Amino acid sequence: MLAYFTQHLLSFSVWTPILSGIAVLFTANDHKPNVTRWLALAGGILAFLVAIPLYTQFNFADGGFQFQEGFSWIPAFNINYHLGVDGIAIPLILLTSFTTVIVIISAWEVIEKRVAQYMACFLIMSGLMVGVFCALDAILYYVFWEAMLIPLFLAIGIWGGPNRVYATIKFFLYTLLGSLLMLVAFIYLYLKTGSFELMDYYRLPLPLTAQVLIFLAFFVAFAVKVPMWPVHTWLPDAHVEAPTGGSVVLAAIALKLGGYSFLRFAMPIAPDAAHYLSGFMITLSLIAIVYIALVALAQKDMKKLIAYSSISHMGFVTLGFFIFNNLGLEGAVVQMVSHGFISAAMFLCVGVLYDRVHSRQIEAYGGVANTMPVFAAFAVFFAMANSGLPATSGFVGEFMVILGAIQANFWYAFLASTTLIFGAAYTLWMIKRVFYGEIANANVAALKDLNKREFLILATLALLVLALGVYPQPLTDMTNASVTQLLSLLAQSKLPVGL
Amino acid sequence: MENIRYDLITALPELFIVCMAMFILLADLFLKASNRIYIYGLSQATLLAAAYLTFSNHAPSVSYAFTDAFVDDAMSDVLKLMIYLGTSLIFVYSRQYLQLRNMFRGEFYALVLFAVVGMMIMVSGQNMLTLYMGLELLSLSLYALVALDRDNARATEAAMKYFVLGALASGMLLYGMSMIYGMTGSLNIADINHALMGETKNHAVLILGLVFIVSGLAFKLGAVPFQMWVPDVYEGSPTAVTLLISSVPKLAAFAFVIRLLVQALPTLAVDWQQMLMIMAVLSIVIGNITAIAQTNLKRMLAYSTISHIGFILYGLMSASINGFVYAMFYVVSYVLMTLAGFGIILLLSRKGFEAENLEDLKGLNQRSPWVAFLMMIVMFSMAGVPPTLGFYAKFSVLQAALQAGYLWLVVFAVLMAVVGAFYYLRVIKLMYFDEPADLKPIDAPLDMRIILSVNALALLVIGLMPQSLMELCIYAVTRSLS
C-alpha cells in the first residue's frame, strides 16, 4: 500500500482534492453546514499532507522530471496519462494545496448559501491546478487547464459581487480564446511528432516561422492567464467580483499557471522564437511593471488596486523569464511563490474588512487601526511585503530579477526597479487612507478586531512570508538544478540544420 | 431461391421493423386509450429485437444484397445500433410529454419506426435509388410527425415549411443523381465510382450534378446556406418530435454523405471538398453568431446544431479516412449531447407548460441541483470544454482538418468556438447565477430520470475515456471504406 502510494504520489496529489470535493458535494445541506465545512477542511488538509512527500523525497541534484508515472490513456491519439514534476513545479504544487486549505478556512462563516458547492468548487479546482503543474502530456495538461476554468467560472458567478456575471463570462471567454489557439499548436506539434509527449516536443527541430507561430499561439494562452499587458483587463473585473476565496485562488495560483506554462511549454518548445521575441516580451513586461503600477495608484477600490499590483508583480516574473539567465529565472520562480503568499494575504485582508463593512472602497474606511489594531499590524506587514521590503519574501524575488536584469541590460533593471518606488507608493498610500487617521465613520467605529480563525490564517501567511524572506534557500535549492537544466535547453537552437 | 433467402436475411432488421410498425398501427385500433402503454412497450421491444438481429447478423466483412442495391458492412451495423439506441432514448424521454398533450397515440410510434427504417435504408443503401427511397421514407415520416399535434397552428406551419423545402431538396438531389446516371449509365455506387475512374471529358456535367447532390445533402443536414428550415421546424414541432429530428437522423445523414460522396464520387473529391469547405465555414459562423440572439431555447439549439454540422463538415472535407472516422465520432457525440439536451427540456415541461424559453431555466440549480448539473455537462460538452465528450469531438475533427492542411480554417473555427461558448455559458449563467422564477418541483417518471442521468453523465465519462467510442468509429469506417 505504502509502495503504491509512493509510486503514485502525483496522482494522489491530483485526485485527493478532486475526490474529496465530490464527496463534499454529497453533504449538501445548508441547515447543517458544519459537517460540510469540516469535511472540506479534512479533505484540504489531507490533500496538502499527501503533497508533502514531494518535497521530502525530492532529489535536489536532479533537474529533470521526477516522480514520473503514466499509462496509455487514449491510444487512438497516442495520448498518455503522464505525470512528472521538476523543481519548478513542486513549490507551486505545494503552494496550491496550501492555499486551498487557507481558502477553506477563510470561507468558514462567510459563505452561508450553498456551502457544499462552494467548498467542492475550490477542492476540485485545487486538484485540477495541481494537475496542470504536473502533466507531461500536452492533452492531459490541456484537459486540466480547461477543466479548471469551470469551477472558477462557477465560483465567481455564484458567490461573486453585483457585476459577477459580466466578470465571470469575460474571464471565461478570454481564457478560452487563448487556450484554443494553444490547442491548435498542440495538434500541429502532434502531426509533426506523432505524440503528445512534452519530451518529444522538446527534441523536435522546427524552422523559425513555425516556432514563432507556435510561440504566439502559446503566448496568447499564457499571456491572458499571467496576465500580461495588454490582455490583462479581465483580471481586475474578475477580482473585484469574485468572493474572497476566488480572489485568493486567482491571484495566488491561477496566475502562476500562465507563468509556469511559459517555462514548461512556450520557451523550451520554441526556444529560438523565445529568443527572437524576447525584446517584445521584455517590453510588455516592463510596460506591465511600470504602467500598471501607475494605474494601481489611481484605484479607489482596494481589490482592484491589489489586482493591478498583481499584474505589475507578474511583470517581474515574465521579465525574469526572458532575460535568459540563472538569476532572473530563479528570481522569477521565487517571485511566483512569494506573490502567491502575499497576494493571498492581501486579498484575505480585504476580505476581512469586506465581511464587516461590505464595502471595498478605500473611501469607506479611515482610521481602522484604532478599532482593529491586530489586523492593522498584519495589513501593514503584508503591505510592506508587497512593496518589496527586505526580509520579506517580496524582496527576494524582485531583487534577484533586478540583479539578473542588470546582467542583461542596465535599462531593463532601471525601469524594473522603479516598481520599488511605485509599489511602495500605491500600497502605502492605500494603507494610510484605510488604516490611519481619525475614525472615518460609524461603520469603522463599530469594527471588531480579528477572530481566532482570521488570526490563524493571517499569522500563518505572515510567518511564511517572513521565513521565505529571511531564508529562501530551501526554495532556491529546490529550483536550482531544474532552472539550470531549463536554461541549457533554452540555449540550444532547434532550427533544422542547413537552414 | 437461395439468393432471395440470402437477401432477406441481410435486410432482416429492416423487414422486421416494417412488419412491427404495421402491426403497431393495426393493434392501436383495437386498444383502449388506457392500454396505450403496451404500444410503447411493443415499440421498445421492437427496437431491442432489431438490435439483437443486427448484432447477431454482424460480420466484419462487407456483404451485398438485392443485386448490390443494399449493403451490410461494419459502418451500417454500428450506425444502426446507434439509431436503435437513440430512438429508444427518444421513446423514454417523450412518453410523459406525449401523454400530457394527448399525442400518446399509435401513430407516433408507427411513424417513428418507419422513420427508423428510412434511416436504416439510408445507412445501408448502395444504389442511388435505394438511398433516395430511404431518405424519402424518413422525410415523409418526419413531416407527418411534425404535424402530429394537428390543432396546433405553429406545428402545422412548421410541417408545411419543412415539407415544401424538404421536397425541393429531394428534387434537387434526384436531379443531381439523374445527371450522374446520365454520365455513368449506372445507379450503383460501386459502378459509378468505377465508371468515373479516368473520366475527364465530361467534367462540367459531372460537376453540375455534384452541385445538385451536395445542395440536396446540405438541405437535409441543415448546413448553411440551406439552413433556413432548421430553426423554424425545431421551434414549431412538439419538443418530442424536435428531439427526434435533431438527433438520430444525423447518423443516417452522415452515412448518406459517405455513400454518395466518398464511395460513389471519390474521383470528384477535390470539387466536393471545396463545396463542403465553404458550407462548413459558413455554418460555423452563422450558427454560432445567430444563436447568440435567440431567446427561445429550441431555436438556440437549432443554431447550435447548424454550427455542429459545420464541425462535422470539417471532418468530411478533409477527405481522409481519419477525417471520416472523426466526423463519425463527432456525429455520435453530437447525437448523445442533443438527446440529453432536449431530454432535459422535456423533463422540465409540464402539463400546459412548455419549457422552451431560456428564461425557463432560471435558477434551476436551486430547484434541482442534479438536473442543473446534468444540463451543465451538456452545455460544456456542446461548447467543447474538456473533460467532456464534446471536446474530443472538436479536437479530432480539427486535427483531421489540420492534417489536410487547412491551418487558417482551423484557427478560424476555434475563434468561432469561443463565440459559441458564449451562448452555452449563458444557459449555465441562467441556471446557476440567477434566482428561480418558477418554483414548481420537477415531475418526471423515474425511468426517464435515471436514463437521462446516464445519458448526460455518459458525456462526462466518455469524455474521460473516449478510447472505446473512438475505436468503434475506427472499426466502422476503416472496415467499410478500405
Side-chain angles (χ1 to χ4, degrees):
Chain A
M1 184 63 212
L2 194 66
Y4 185 81
F5 173 70
T6 46
Q7 278 158 19
H8 297 86
L9 266 181
L10 287 172
S11 283
F12 273 96
S13 306
V14 173
W15 294 104
T16 312
I18 294 180
L19 294 178
S20 19
I22 293 171
V24 164
L25 267 185
F26 285 103
T27 65
N29 179 352
D30 275 2
H31 302 294
K32 280 187 281 180
N34 273 332
V35 182
T36 310
R37 286 169 184 152
W38 281 108
L39 186 67
L41 182 62
I45 291 179
L46 184 67
F48 181 58
L49 292 180
V50 166
I52 284 187
L54 289 179
Y55 180 77
T56 54
Q57 297 184 12
F58 184 71
N59 177 3
F60 286 79
D62 179 4
F65 292 106
Q66 304 185 22
F67 306 107
Q68 289 197 40
E69 53 177 289
F71 56 85
S72 179
W73 178 26
I74 310 171
F77 291 119
N78 199 4
I79 297 174
N80 299 318
Y81 176 86
H82 186 182
L83 301 177
V85 283
D86 63 359
I88 300 173
I90 291 179
L92 296 169
I93 290 176
L94 291 172
L95 176 71
T96 308
S97 309
F98 172 76
T99 311
T100 307
V101 178
I102 295 278
V103 165
I104 291 169
I105 301 177
S106 78
W108 205 260
E109 294 129 29
V110 182
I111 298 295
E112 284 165 343
K113 62 168 188 177
R114 292 181 256 170
V115 181
Q117 290 185 355
Y118 183 90
M119 298 296 187
C121 255
F122 283 96
L123 279 169
I124 292 174
M125 198 168 13
S126 156
L128 295 173
M129 287 186 296
V130 172
V132 172
F133 287 128
C134 55
L136 291 186
D137 179 281
I139 294 299
L140 182 67
Y141 163 85
Y142 185 81
V143 168
F144 281 130
W145 169 277
E146 286 274 277
M148 177 249 142
L149 296 181
I150 299 175
L152 194 53
F153 170 75
L154 293 175
I156 299 178
I158 299 180
W159 295 277
N163 202 12
R164 59 187 195 273
V165 173
Y166 168 79
T168 195
I169 290 188
K170 184 173 178 182
F171 151 75
F172 196 98
L173 293 182
Y174 245 95
T175 343
L176 186 68
L177 171 67
S179 335
L180 282 168
L181 290 175
M182 168 169 78
L183 183 65
V184 177
F186 282 147
I187 298 178
Y188 176 85
L189 289 165
Y190 167 69
L191 294 175
K192 289 273 169 204
T193 58
S195 128
F196 281 107
E197 280 288 327
L198 191 55
M199 314 288 192
D200 294 341
Y201 294 173
Y202 283 4
R203 286 190 291 267
L204 175 74
L206 285 165
L208 189 62
T209 332
Q211 282 200 30
V212 168
L213 285 177
I214 290 173
F215 188 88
L216 287 179
F218 283 130
F219 168 75
V220 177
F222 304 148
V224 164
K225 202 80 153 209
V226 166
M228 294 176 77
W229 183 87
V231 285
H232 63 278
T233 64
W234 63 271
L235 185 76
D237 286 321
H239 265 313
V240 168
E241 301 302 332
T244 307
S247 290
V248 169
V249 168
L250 256 179
I253 314 159
L255 307 190
K256 306 326 180 267
L257 298 174
Y260 166 83
S261 304
F262 265 117
L263 290 184
R264 183 64 77 237
F265 289 89
M267 297 167 71
I269 291 177
D272 302 287
H275 285 285
Y276 182 72
L277 294 171
S278 65
F280 170 67
M281 300 299 292
I282 288 172
T283 312
L284 292 188
S285 308
L286 288 173
I287 293 179
I289 293 174
V290 179
Y291 167 71
I292 298 291
L294 290 173
V295 174
L297 207 51
Q299 297 308 313
K300 298 190 171 85
D301 182 309
M302 287 190 278
K303 264 191 161 177
K304 251 194 173 142
L305 189 146
I306 304 169
Y308 280 111
S309 140
S310 290
I311 302 169
S312 171
H313 282 108
M314 289 308 285
F316 262 96
V317 174
T318 44
L319 175 67
F321 290 167
F322 286 91
I323 50 182
F324 297 107
N325 61 36
N326 226 316
L327 214 49
L329 247 174
E330 215 161 301
V333 176
V334 174
Q335 171 79 350
M336 286 207 278
V337 176
S338 140
H339 178 257
F341 292 134
I342 298 173
S343 63
M346 297 282 282
F347 279 114
L348 286 166
C349 287
V350 178
V352 166
L353 284 176
Y354 184 78
D355 294 340
R356 289 166 170 73
V357 181
H358 296 286
S359 170
R360 295 178 307 257
Q361 300 301 316
I362 295 177
E363 62 185 18
Y365 299 92
V368 172
N370 297 308
T371 45
M372 301 178 76
V374 181
F375 173 60
F378 279 118
V380 171
F381 172 75
F382 291 123
M384 293 295 182
N386 195 41
S387 44
L389 186 79
T392 63
S393 62
F395 173 73
V396 182
E398 291 184 12
F399 187 63
M400 285 167 81
V401 173
I402 291 173
L403 280 184
I406 284 190
Q407 292 177 6
N409 184 324
F410 169 76
W411 292 105
Y412 296 164
F414 175 79
L415 283 171
S417 350
T418 56
T419 195
L420 294 173
I421 302 164
F422 292 134
Y426 60 72
T427 325
L428 296 182
W429 193 31
M430 175 184 81
I431 290 293
K432 184 223 149 216
R433 284 178 290 169
V434 172
F435 287 91
Y436 297 119
E438 295 297 308
I439 292 179
N441 54 38
N443 278 339
V444 176
L447 283 177
K448 282 205 179 63
D449 212 337
L450 296 180
N451 59 28
K452 276 184 196 147
R453 175 180 61 86
E454 291 160 341
F455 183 83
L456 175 74
I457 45 183
L458 290 181
T460 321
L461 283 168
L463 275 179
L464 284 166
V465 169
L466 206 57
L468 202 55
V470 176
Y471 187 62
Q473 188 123 22
L475 180 59
T476 48
D477 277 352
M478 181 147 228
T479 55
N480 210 323
S482 301
V483 166
T484 315
Q485 182 158 339
L486 181 63
L487 277 171
S488 71
L489 210 56
L490 292 179
Q492 288 161 13
S493 168
K494 283 174 66 176
L495 297 177
V497 186
L499 276 176
Chain B
M1 203 57 212
E2 193 54 30
N3 250 345
I4 293 180
R5 224 189 91 201
Y6 176 75
D7 287 349
L8 292 181
I9 286 181
T10 312
L12 195 57
E14 283 84 355
L15 294 172
F16 172 71
I17 297 185
V18 169
C19 294
M20 287 306 287
M22 289 195 271
F23 176 72
I24 283 171
L25 210 50
L26 271 181
D28 185 52
L29 295 175
F30 299 99
L31 275 180
K32 281 199 292 251
S34 55
N35 286 339
R36 285 264 163 72
I37 195 77
Y38 293 124
I39 295 287
Y40 167 80
L42 200 56
S43 310
Q44 290 283 32
T46 304
L47 290 173
L48 194 67
Y52 172 74
L53 289 176
T54 305
F55 192 75
S56 60
N57 256 347
H58 173 71
S61 58
V62 182
S63 50
Y64 297 93
F66 300 108
T67 55
D68 294 352
F70 187 92
V71 67
D72 179 28
D73 54 9
M75 186 175 79
S76 67
D77 283 348
V78 170
L79 284 174
K80 277 177 200 170
L81 289 172
M82 300 273 179
I83 291 172
Y84 305 142
L85 176 70
T87 313
S88 170
L89 292 181
I90 292 170
F91 284 156
V92 174
Y93 297 163
S94 59
R95 193 181 72 227
Q96 191 189 33
Y97 181 90
L98 295 171
Q99 281 170 336
L100 293 176
R101 279 161 189 76
N102 197 23
M103 286 191 279
F104 190 61
R105 287 177 299 208
E107 296 96 289
F108 177 81
Y109 292 95
L111 283 170
V112 173
L113 289 178
F114 279 126
V116 168
V117 176
M119 291 184 246
M120 291 163 72
I121 294 176
M122 282 166 78
V123 164
S124 273
Q126 197 60 12
N127 179 301
M128 288 213 174
L129 278 185
T130 325
L131 284 166
Y132 182 74
M133 218 168 62
L135 178 68
E136 283 306 282
L137 182 53
L138 167 68
S139 304
L140 288 171
S141 312
L142 290 182
Y143 304 146
L145 277 167
V146 172
L148 192 64
D149 188 9
R150 59 170 178 255
D151 298 329
N152 185 334
R154 221 170 49 155
T156 317
E157 188 196 321
M160 200 62 204
K161 188 161 189 172
Y162 192 19
F163 175 68
V164 172
L165 291 176
L168 184 68
S170 301
M172 292 211 288
L173 194 64
L174 209 52
Y175 191 44
M177 287 174 175
S178 73
M179 285 187 189
I180 302 288
Y181 176 67
M183 282 300 107
T184 59
S186 173
L187 284 166
N188 184 286
I189 298 289
D191 293 345
I192 293 175
N193 181 22
H194 208 69
L196 289 179
M197 300 264 185
E199 161 76 59
T200 44
K201 57 180 191 291
N202 291 315
H203 199 66
V205 185
L206 281 174
I207 297 296
L208 195 62
L210 180 67
V211 168
F212 278 108
I213 288 187
V214 170
S215 315
L217 289 176
F219 239 110
K220 298 295 174 188
L221 277 170
V224 179
F226 304 102
Q227 88 291 10
M228 290 79 73
W229 62 274
V230 179
D232 293 335
V233 172
Y234 273 41
E235 189 191 358
S237 312
T239 311
V241 178
T242 314
L243 173 68
L244 173 66
I245 294 178
S246 64
S247 54
V248 271
K250 306 294 181 212
L251 293 166
F254 166 76
F256 200 69
V257 174
I258 293 283
R259 301 283 183 220
L260 275 182
L261 295 187
V262 180
Q263 290 190 317
L265 305 170
T267 36
L268 301 178
V270 180
D271 303 294
W272 55 254
Q273 258 182 310
Q274 288 171 9
M275 299 180 202
L276 295 190
M277 183 164 78
I278 295 170
M279 295 195 305
V281 171
L282 286 179
S283 301
I284 290 181
V285 174
I286 307 260
N288 278 324
I289 291 182
T290 325
I292 293 176
Q294 306 306 318
T295 54
N296 182 298
L297 193 52
K298 280 157 78 178
R299 275 189 97 82
M300 190 198 93
L301 287 176
Y303 283 107
S304 139
T305 302
I306 294 172
S307 79
H308 286 302
I309 294 293
F311 276 101
I312 293 168
L313 292 177
Y314 261 74
L316 291 171
M317 77 184 187
S318 312
S320 62
I321 291 285
N322 270 350
F324 305 138
V325 170
Y326 301 151
M328 178 167 169
F329 185 79
Y330 202 113
V331 175
V332 174
S333 316
Y334 163 79
V335 168
L336 282 176
M337 294 189 277
T338 309
L339 284 171
F342 278 106
I344 290 171
I345 299 180
L346 286 170
L347 183 78
L348 297 177
S349 299
R350 298 186 293 272
K351 193 172 176 63
F353 173 74
E354 300 273 345
E356 58 172 23
N357 286 317
L358 281 171
E359 301 286 300
D360 300 329
L361 289 173
K362 265 190 169 177
L364 188 60
N365 184 31
Q366 288 172 49
R367 282 171 69 199
S368 164
W370 181 243
V371 177
F373 174 69
L374 297 179
M375 189 65 166
M376 179 169 77
I377 296 180
V378 176
M379 287 297 125
F380 276 124
S381 183
M382 287 194 173
V385 176
T388 55
L389 181 56
F391 164 66
Y392 290 101
K394 286 213 166 64
F395 166 72
S396 45
V397 293
L398 291 181
Q399 193 207 312
L402 204 58
Q403 200 161 17
Y406 298 112
L407 173 63
W408 296 108
L409 289 185
V410 169
V411 171
F412 184 74
V414 302
L415 295 182
M416 280 298 135
V418 177
V419 175
F422 173 75
Y423 60 85
Y424 299 120
L425 287 183
R426 192 173 52 184
V427 172
I428 296 168
K429 171 235 161 199
L430 287 166
M431 293 191 302
Y432 278 86
F433 308 162
D434 288 358
E435 291 299 314
D438 161 13
L439 283 169
K440 292 232 173 59
I442 292 163
D443 173 38
L446 188 65
D447 59 337
M448 174 174 179
R449 279 166 183 271
I450 293 175
I451 291 178
L452 188 56
S453 305
V454 173
N455 185 177
L457 285 181
L459 299 177
L460 191 62
V461 173
I462 305 179
L464 291 171
M465 286 167 280
Q467 177 64 18
S468 9
L469 184 58
M470 187 56 87
E471 266 171 11
L472 192 66
C473 295
I474 293 174
Y475 170 77
V477 172
T478 49
R479 287 281 168 166
S480 310
L481 288 186
S482 51

